[in-house]
Amino acid sequence: MSKPSTKKSILLLSHNFSPEPTGIGKYNGEMMDWLCKNGYNTTVITTFPYYPFWKVQAPYTNKWYKRERIEYPEQGMVMTIYRCPIYIPAFPTGAKRMVQDLLLWPVKLIVVLQQMLFKKKHDLLITIAPPFHLAHLAFFYRFFRGGKIYYHIQDLQIEAAQQLNILGSSKLFNLMYKIEKKILRSSDYVSTISEGMVKKVEEKVGRKVLFFPNWVDTAFFYPLDDRDVAKKRWDFKTDDQVCLYSGSIGEKQGLESIIYAAEILKDQPRIKFVIAGSGPYKTNLTDLAEAMGLSNVFFFPLQDKEHFNAFLNMSDLHLVIQKGNASDLVMPSKLTTILAVGGVSIVTAPHGTSLEQVINENNMGAVTTPDDICELATAIQTILTKNMDEMRQNARNYALKYLNIDNVMQIFLNDVGMQE
């Protein structure tokens, strides 16, 4: 890739950042690292890492602001990270998460003012939603210093909150939609992560929305030649058929479906269900499995990155589970990594969604109706009887072609006019 002719400066505003191991923080960290390695100075205004554990991770303390500087001597670039103190609810409800979003405004505004008054101008201002309203800090900066605003939507936060009944006030939702529409119209660029979400946002605001998918490091995540070794590493037998869910464990996923499917299939001792990750809903799942007396369900913590490739390769079948009312609003980022390791997936998604289209057209697994436990259990049983070699190869090929980070980021730079 050719380097930019001058050192462009990019500012990222987001609650989440590296070293958070999953979700938005993971992708933000990889994006800014890639930009520095490809000739761009970057600045990040964020929080201390807390997701998906919902507590600040050591060695960070969350007591005051912290500035970090990462140098890229080969490229002559620098990444500067400003971490702001954050309110973190131990049990994150919809209302508490809204309070978290609002409280970060004043603490981040201080750093934005510092950037305006004492630092060189940033050429591109990237804001990540959720939270949907963080873009107003970028508008504030642009009013005084200029620069283009790139508004990227990872989750359609308002729709998800409304459909999952997280908040009950229709007046409050109407106000949020009004604020969001103004943001969408005022940003220089708007993007999101799936074709289905692109269509939804374009219908909202009547403007072009860019496709900026979540990527995967296809060199770091890849299929292993001997998956049985990985099974033994996590104390499974080579003939066990491991069905894995790995990721954030929250209410919106509807992961109790896995527990109920495990109950239906409990008389098939080779089929093992693994739920790995962290989140506020995990206790509910462990209590449910214990109450049912299930011996075929296993809970694991979130795996370290250096072990994660082997952990994913251990699985015969990956479960990408979401509730029906959220399936086309939130494109699960975990799917990209699953495809990179050549994983075969069962995805819960309504008919006609982008998820269903991607899986079926490329023959990479199966799609079942959300919240239909019997259909899920039947699909698991059926697909485990098949030879999945072709589906595994299809998944890997799709990741190499469409989800490689170099391809995705070069398209992004072309879209914002920062590529030579």
Side-chain angles (χ1 to χ4, degrees):
M1 173 186 167
S2 60
K3 300 293 188 296
S5 56
T6 58
K7 292 183 178 180
K8 298 289 186 179
S9 178
I10 298 175
L11 172 67
L12 171 69
L13 284 159
S14 179
H15 282 10
N16 303 98
F17 196 69
S18 177
E20 291 182 347
T22 63
I24 294 173
K26 169 184 177 293
Y27 287 108
N28 283 344
E30 292 172 354
M31 175 174 64
M32 302 310 272
D33 176 72
W34 189 95
L35 287 168
C36 284
K37 289 176 179 176
N38 286 273
Y40 298 85
N41 282 313
T42 64
T43 300
V44 182
I45 302 177
T46 186
T47 63
F48 294 96
Y50 70 93
Y51 186 83
F53 311 98
W54 288 96
K55 61 180 180 180
V56 170
Q57 297 300 290
Y60 296 99
T61 63
N62 198 32
K63 291 182 179 179
W64 192 239
Y65 293 88
K66 180 178 176 64
R67 185 174 76 92
E68 301 171 7
R69 180 182 170 91
I70 302 173
E71 296 187 0
Y72 293 76
E74 291 185 7
Q75 297 83 7
M77 300 295 128
V78 174
M79 182 192 305
T80 306
I81 306 167
Y82 295 91
R83 298 193 184 272
C84 305
I86 180 176
Y87 159 67
I88 305 173
F91 301 98
T93 64
K96 289 180 180 179
R97 294 178 75 163
M98 180 176 290
V99 171
Q100 181 192 57
D101 290 347
L102 293 174
L103 288 178
L104 271 169
W105 263 74
V107 294
K108 285 190 175 182
L109 179 60
I110 294 172
V111 183
V112 172
L113 284 169
Q114 179 194 46
Q115 294 294 307
M116 289 167 48
L117 296 173
F118 305 111
K119 303 295 181 181
K120 291 182 179 179
K121 173 189 169 183
H122 299 292
D123 301 286
L124 185 68
L125 316 170
I126 303 174
T127 66
I128 309 294
F132 75 94
H133 52 72
L134 194 61
H136 282 103
L137 288 176
F139 294 147
F140 182 68
Y141 180 98
R142 184 179 66 179
F143 181 81
F144 290 99
R145 296 294 304 273
K148 300 286 189 179
I149 294 177
Y150 189 97
Y151 185 75
H152 180 59
I153 303 168
Q154 282 279 358
D155 287 355
L156 288 169
Q157 183 184 23
I158 306 173
E159 284 90 340
Q162 190 170 26
Q163 294 187 15
L164 294 172
N165 296 315
I166 291 176
L167 298 171
S169 170
S170 59
K171 290 183 178 180
L172 182 58
F173 277 117
N174 290 336
L175 175 61
M176 289 192 293
Y177 280 123
K178 185 176 180 180
I179 294 171
E180 182 193 43
K181 183 172 287 188
K182 181 68 178 299
I183 291 170
L184 293 170
R185 288 176 174 170
S186 302
S187 299
D188 296 284
Y189 310 98
V190 176
S191 68
T192 190
I193 62 175
S194 75
E195 296 289 358
M197 289 171 67
V198 165
K199 292 177 183 177
K200 286 183 180 292
V201 178
E202 287 181 340
E203 289 171 359
K204 277 185 175 190
V205 73
R207 65 167 294 177
K208 179 177 175 58
V209 174
L210 301 171
F211 177 48
F212 186 27
N214 288 329
W215 54 80
V216 65
D217 186 341
T218 53
F220 189 90
F221 293 105
Y222 57 91
L224 296 179
D225 294 331
D226 190 349
R227 296 168 51 252
D228 290 341
V229 173
K231 286 187 180 181
K232 292 178 182 178
R233 181 174 180 177
W234 278 277
D235 296 325
F236 290 102
K237 299 176 182 178
T238 57
D239 64 345
D240 282 338
Q241 296 178 302
V242 179
C243 303
L244 171 65
Y245 172 88
S246 179
S248 176
I249 302 177
E251 185 178 359
K252 72 181 179 183
Q253 282 82 10
L255 298 180
E256 60 275 2
S257 296
I258 298 174
I259 308 297
Y260 292 125
E263 183 184 35
I264 293 173
L265 298 173
K266 65 183 178 182
D267 294 330
Q268 300 190 40
R270 290 179 58 202
I271 302 179
K272 311 292 186 184
F273 292 85
V274 175
I275 299 175
S278 179
Y281 203 63
K282 188 171 186 177
T283 302
N284 300 61
L285 298 181
T286 56
D287 290 347
L288 180 61
E290 184 178 350
M292 291 182 172
L294 298 177
S295 60
N296 59 343
V297 180
F298 302 84
F299 291 90
F300 285 78
L302 195 68
Q303 300 297 299
D304 294 334
K305 186 175 181 180
E306 58 265 31
H307 303 134
F308 197 41
N309 187 65
F311 187 69
L312 292 175
N313 272 274
M314 168 189 72
S315 174
D316 296 278
L317 186 61
H318 296 265
L319 305 177
V320 183
I321 307 296
Q322 294 187 120
K323 289 185 177 180
N325 56 9
S327 291
D328 207 34
L329 299 179
V330 182
M331 171 64 80
S333 58
K334 64 181 68 65
L335 184 59
T336 62
T337 312
I338 291 169
L339 297 176
V341 302
V344 177
S345 302
I346 290 183
V347 178
T348 59
H351 294 300
T353 60
S354 52
L355 271 176
E356 180 188 45
Q357 182 179 355
V358 166
I359 295 298
N360 287 342
E361 288 186 356
N362 295 280
N363 187 27
M364 302 184 297
V367 179
T368 66
T369 305
D371 310 314
D372 190 328
I373 310 302
C374 292
E375 186 181 349
L376 175 62
T378 300
I380 291 170
Q381 187 174 13
T382 300
I383 205 166
L384 287 175
T385 64
K386 296 181 178 180
N387 184 325
M388 292 184 277
D389 290 344
E390 182 180 349
M391 286 187 283
R392 290 192 177 105
Q393 189 60 55
N394 290 343
R396 176 64 178 175
N397 290 342
Y398 184 92
L400 290 171
K401 184 175 181 180
Y402 297 108
L403 304 177
N404 178 274
I405 186 171
D406 291 326
N407 296 338
V408 173
M409 289 302 298
Q410 288 183 39
I411 292 171
F412 161 78
L413 289 176
N414 283 327
D415 286 339
V416 298
M418 295 185 71
Q419 168 99 348
E420 267 194 340

